[in-house]
């Protein structure tokens, strides 16, 4: 079984073959960008019959600490801890070790931390029986060419993403966060083994907000995404379950049984 099949497979071997809606559920990650545990658990309780993955990011983790993960994991959900670590190699390695013991299934570091930091992060997971998949964030989906230029990066976003992904691969990383616009190019670099996690997903009619490099759910999957991250189009919808079901429906049109 490939790495991607391993992380995508949530069902025991003897379970009936999941249909395309069920497979879509295994590939949709809801971003819990809320200020406190109470709001997070309200969303989890509401959505968990529909969604199986939840992302805890900086807003919630800084407010509540690791304790916020426990009730989400205890209810049999998969948790992606999106801390986007970026520091000197020794510090990031320590943070990765601390996070790896929390029972999360994915963890992010910034690819921009450089090869030594990425290698230290990867090496820090050695010895854990069930380490999280380490994902390197390439270029934030909220950044376009003008934003990159403002921080002194003159390459086009796709060239910057390609360079960072190559560097990540050389450091032993196989999971990347990028926008839907770069999925195909990273997929050609990683092959089917790559775990490509795509935020900036906007179903038709949804507000774009601060995101810049966006795509619809079906489009991102068609281009080669492994997982889609969706926050506000679900969490700020009048009916989050209805919004999630609608996105899953769009995904199911593309996901192969
Ligand atoms: O609300 P929205 O769907 O825009 O949320 C996207 C989520 O994905 C946020 O939690 C954000 O932190 C995260 N993310 C991103 N761009 C990246 C990496 C992560 O938007 N490159």
């Amino acid at each position: 079984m490939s790495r991607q099949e391993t992380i995508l497979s949530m069902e025991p071997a003897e379970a009936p073959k999941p249909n395309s809606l069920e497979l879509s559920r295994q590939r949709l990650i809801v971003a819990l960008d809320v200020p406190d545990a109470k709001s997070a658990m309200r969303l989890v309780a509401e959505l968990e019959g529909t969604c199986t993955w939840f992302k805890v990011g900086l807003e919630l983790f800084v407010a509540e600490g690791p304790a916020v993960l426990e009730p989400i994991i205890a209810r049999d959900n998969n948790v992606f801890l999106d801390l986007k670590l970026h520091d000197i190699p020794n510090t990031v390695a320590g943070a990765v070790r601390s996070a790896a013991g929390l029972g999360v299934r994915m963890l992010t570091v910034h690819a921009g931390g450089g090869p030594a930091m990425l290698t230290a992060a990867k090496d820090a997971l050695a010895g854990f029986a069930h380490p999280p998949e380490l994902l390197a964030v390439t270029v934030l989906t909220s950044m376009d060419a003008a934003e990159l230029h403002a921080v002194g990066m003159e390459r086009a976003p796709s060239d910057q993403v390609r360079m960072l992904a190559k560097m990540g691969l050389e450091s032993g990383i196989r999971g990347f966060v990028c926008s839907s616009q770069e999925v195909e190019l990273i997929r050609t670099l990683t092959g089917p083994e790559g775990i490509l996690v795509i935020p900036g997903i906007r179903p038709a009619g949804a507000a774009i907000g601060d995101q810049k490099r966006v795509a619809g759910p079906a489009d991102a999957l068609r281009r080669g995404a492994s997982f889609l991250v969706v926050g506000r189009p679900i969490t700020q919808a009048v009916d989050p379950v209805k919004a999630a079901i609608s996105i899953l429906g769009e995904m199911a049109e593309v996901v192969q049984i």
Side-chain angles (χ1 to χ4, degrees), residues 31 33 55 82 84 137 139-142 177-178 199-202 208 210-211 229-233:
D33 293 324
K55 181 171 88 68
D82 187 19
K84 297 189 181 69
V137 178
V139 174
L140 295 171
T141 44
S142 57
V177 182
C178 63
I201 299 298
R202 290 294 180 266
I208 287 178
D210 54 354
Q211 297 285 16
V229 175
V230 182
R232 289 161 289 184

Side-chain angles (χ1 to χ4, degrees), residues 39-127:
S39 317
M41 292 316 295
R42 197 183 306 126
L43 275 168
V44 170
E46 203 176 344
L47 286 164
E48 67 189 351
T50 309
C51 302
T52 62
W53 279 89
F54 294 96
K55 181 171 88 68
V56 173
L58 287 169
E59 181 180 5
L60 184 56
F61 196 78
V62 169
E64 301 283 359
V68 76
L69 305 171
E70 287 165 22
I72 309 175
I73 295 170
R75 294 166 76 117
D76 261 355
N77 297 296
N78 302 296
V79 173
F80 167 12
L81 184 56
D82 187 19
L83 298 182
K84 297 189 181 69
L85 301 169
H86 190 165
D87 208 316
I88 62 169
N90 184 58
T91 301
V92 166
V96 166
R97 269 192 298 276
S98 298
L102 299 175
V104 299
R105 300 205 50 182
M106 291 181 185
L107 175 68
T108 43
V109 295
H110 260 294
M117 191 204 83
L118 292 178
T119 304
K122 181 80 193 157
D123 291 349
L125 292 174

Side-chain angles (χ1 to χ4, degrees), residues 138-145 148 156-159 161-162 177-187 196-201 208 211-216 219-221 223-225 228:
T138 55
V139 174
L140 295 171
T141 44
S142 57
M143 297 188 88
D144 56 12
L148 284 179
S158 57
D159 292 335
V161 169
R162 182 186 291 109
V177 182
C178 63
S179 93
S180 50
Q181 292 171 20
E182 301 95 29
V183 183
E184 286 147 309
L185 80 85
I186 299 198
R187 182 60 76 197
L196 307 188
V197 178
I198 315 302
I201 299 298
I208 287 178
Q211 297 285 16
K212 297 264 169 58
R213 295 171 9 258
V214 299
D219 194 20
L221 288 178
R223 296 184 195 192
L228 307 185

Side-chain angles (χ1 to χ4, degrees), residues 5-26:
E5 281 165 343
T6 305
I7 200 163
L8 289 176
S9 123
M10 303 292 137
E11 304 293 329
E14 64 275 13
K17 204 172 176 198
N19 61 28
S20 55
L21 197 59
E22 183 52 34
L23 289 171
S24 302
R25 276 157 46 81
Q26 294 171 17

